[in-house]
Amino acid sequence: MGGRSARLSFPACGCLVSSPSYPLAEALRKEGLSRADYDEIVRRLGRAPNRAELGMFGVMWSEHCCYRNSRPLLGQFPTSGPRILVGPGENAGVVDLGEGQHLAFKIESHNHPSAVEPFQGAATGVGGILRDIFTMGARPIALLNALRFGPLEDPRNVGLMEGVVAGIAHYGNCVGVPTVGGEVAFDPSYSGNPLVNAMALGLMETEEIVRSGAAGVGNPVVYVGSTTGRDGMGGASFASAELTEASLDDRPAVQVGDPFLEKGLIEACLEAFKSGDVVAAQDMGAAGLTCSCSEMAAKGGVGVELDLDLVPAREDGMTAYEFLLSESQERMLFVVRQGREQPLMERFRRWGLQAAVVGRVVAENVVRVLQHGEVAAEVPANALADDTPINHHELLAAPPAEIQAHWQWSEAELPPADTTGITPAGQSPLSWSQVLLALLDTPTIASKRWVYRQYDHQVQGNTVMPPGGADAAVVRLRPQQGPGSLLPAQRGVAAVVDCPNRWVALDPQRGAMAAVAEAARNLSCVGAEPLAVTDNLNFPSPDHPTGYWQLAMACRGLSEACAALGTPVTGGNVSLYNETRLPDGRLQPIHPTPVVGMVGLVPDLARVTGQAWRAAGEAIWLLGVPLAGDDDADERLGLAASGYLEWIHGLSTGRPPRTDLALEVAVQALLRQAIAQGVVTAAHDLSDGGLAVAAAECCLASGLGAQLELPAGTARADRLLFAEGGARVLVSVPAAQAQAWQALLEQVPPSGAAGSPPACQRLGQVEAEAVLSIGRGGTTLLVQPLDVLGLAYEQAIPRRLAGGA
Amino acid sequence: MTIGVVVFPGSNCDRDVRWAAEGCLGIPTRFLWHEERSLEGIDAVVLPGGFSYGDYLRCGAIAHVSPMLSEVAAFAARGGPVLGICNGFQILTEMGLLPGALTRNRQLHFLCEAAPLTVHPGACQWLRHYGEGEPISLPIAHGEGCFQADADTLAALEGEGRVVLRYAANPNGSVGDVAGLCNAQGNVLGLMPHPERACDPITGGTDGSRLLASLLS
């Protein structure tokens, strides 16, 4: 641990050092800093930091602000490409959609606050990610979220889920940005440590992307938005320690959000950016004023002088430390062209917001903080924001023994499976119909209607594919403001969040690759071309060798898959130390959860495909690795690490399938081409629960049945029905398109997909009768009316929530 | 014909009304900032959905004392057509242009989904293009849409044919399945469902277009 050798010219340590005027050990613990960090701070300043300055270093050198554990791993991500306008380092990534439209997007976590106060924790997570978007000059057009909770059999998890969903709804609905998609999954490892990742998309409304580097010595620094209070103090150290009774002061550790103020802030900021008076902008998120001042100064190569007496405060008697570290919400800092501050501030006051000149840009590369006419803190900006320390960790040379043991599992260990069903060890016999019903009744697989009906997914009038309708959300690219706002638009943007956390837990590299592949496949299922990724790395402590190994291997998998699929990473968020202390004192780490947020371009909204079958008689085809009638050892798919294995047999084990990236590229290219030509009318990828669950979902979405026939042979029936992996997608093809479909299948695969021509297999057809029927070699494996399947699927979550809807 | 769309801090369906009216149906619109007082050149007024003033104090309670709304009240009294959608309906009840109140949904959750409705147009000029008892589907998106009125008020409303929109499957606990109310004169309509979200086939049906199109003769 400790800072790497500094390239910057700071005074040599030792010449000006004086001892601090506060108990050092306690202060370092509170700020989450090590003694080595302190020595480095003293060396950079040439003296001991005062208490406020130490606090500034504490937040700026936290994992949240400077990625001190993960930075060496993030460097391997592909970050550039022809469509990438802004990569990592700014408030959000920006991609070029063509036709003059630019899309800003980013994901961020609010896990620890949501664990303590689910409603406000989740709400302020939404508020924070929206500010990252409109700070760039983009109007937020869509929200998504990835959520993880412990099992709903535990009432604490029910309370967390109800609070988180209500908090997201409260903020997103009020601020007028539709929540169009997301994913929710459950696992015991998330009990007490839920994950709340919020992703936002925005369409640029300004000509130029608004940057965060300060410029123009003498320019005023203007504070806008809400007032500053003592809320959210110490959020950085809070995120890396357990909460105790003692740490729950009379002030909430979690900030309180006000979506009404944020709505006004969006409008006022976009007006201000269009005026041309704003030189630079930075939102105040984690580490508040400290972070915004030092990052604006460091990025601009200038300094900022800030007078705390001018900062609008909501409480009296706040110290410099409190002002600098407050995480009060809905606040922004601007550098404004000199002389233009008055009209700019008027815009904000019209929306009922605070606006005040609080400082100015200075030539010296320093963050100087004044209070009561005295210098309360003075730190070189680059000492805070540049060349921040890195925690070095040893990467295990081989997978941990526990993981290697899991990889030994094979399907041969399962009880025999015949045409009637299976008898899981220690349980009664189950028919395949009963197995399918049990899977549909599993909250991770089941309908998330209880969640998404609480989100306004339609406001702004552009939602073409709402939650539950397709594998990805689709939003029309019609601007809200300006000349294009009243013209019909043919193009759209698709977005998705994905993470197969069970796979990542059993093989972080394969699991992370699968996350990227599934996100891209989901976009391709609506006909969108995948463009770029924002990632949210939710992991346990990297201080444990297994934890760091998981993080390192997942980053490797993400990088490899993003490179192969041509979807660069434009930024994201890292959330570490996600673990809960169990009553017996052991730490329960979460499943490592690298959530992939991906955006894609829909060239023609008229062609968008959903999950629902369109008409009886249409042929049902399987793309990807075909079903093999006889035993095979294809490691690209299987029951290892599957939902079937976990929820039917009670086993979370095995090595998850290997993602065949070349096959993914080929399958997705074929799928998008077929959708663009109108050959395919419905598309749904195979995920948790495999073929049987995917087919059931297409039926339930449409009310139409399906008759499928699986290949005869020696292969286990459960491998055919419930195996996961294999880049698989179910599609429907109307009879009128049969020839065009055949022509597509026979075409030479596009270059880049060489070596893996996409295999396709006809499985059956859509039926008017509302029954799902799956047979094999003349025998029926499974037959269920849709109303029975639908009841299990729709009621799984509500019936587990007390008083559920 | 120009529709005035009142914009409060916290309104968030103002642009959606503009898109539906002007973008989809070709009816010109103008935004009316809440602090203004002029309705000159305005032929109909829409109070759009959203969270005016953050719904602080009580939904619609702060909005109803804004300068623009005293003008809107006078406009309604002169027989001018006024439509309150969602938060706009809440404001109309606060203004006293429509009776009753809108309270938290029965299950206390915000609900966003398609709501099957039946239309009973009576004398409501906004609904003149719909048939008596006609089933339609409009999206709802609200947390406080549970209509409350005492039994006498409700009976009077029923008797006067002013319950012009009813839920076919009551989603929020509204008494009498009330989804929309009209004033006695037929020019003021308040409803919780969002007709402006049902004017564009690609984003979800067109059952709401005839409501806005009633302004065109």
Side-chain angles (χ1 to χ4, degrees), chain A residues 214-271:
Chain A
V217 172
N219 274 341
V221 172
V222 176
Y223 169 114
V224 298
S226 184
T227 50
T228 296
R230 290 188 174 97
D231 48 334
M233 296 295 305
S237 47
F238 166 57
S240 52
E242 294 164 75
L243 275 164
T244 65
E245 285 294 319
S247 69
L248 291 171
D249 204 57
D250 55 341
R251 302 287 166 191
V254 181
Q255 315 88 310
V256 175
D258 186 341
F260 165 64
L261 280 185
E262 180 117 327
K263 165 71 172 152
L265 195 57
I266 294 175
E267 302 295 343
C269 282
L270 292 175
E271 286 175 13

Side-chain angles (χ1 to χ4, degrees), chain A residues 77 227 335 498 649 675 767:
Chain A
F77 288 160
T227 50
V335 173
D498 269 309
H649 294 275
I675 293 171
E767 300 283 346

Side-chain angles (χ1 to χ4, degrees), chain B residues 146-163:
Chain B
C146 177
F147 181 75
Q148 295 291 350
D150 61 60
D152 291 346
T153 305
L154 185 62
L157 289 168
E158 304 264 11
E160 293 165 26
R162 290 169 56 192
V163 180

Side-chain angles (χ1 to χ4, degrees), chain A residues 510 625 632-638 655-660 719 724-726:
Chain A
R510 284 189 174 185
V625 177
D632 66 288
D634 195 328
E635 60 164 0
R636 295 176 299 174
L637 78 167
R655 187 167 196 194
R658 177 176 66 81
T659 297
D660 180 343
R719 184 173 165 94
E724 296 172 13

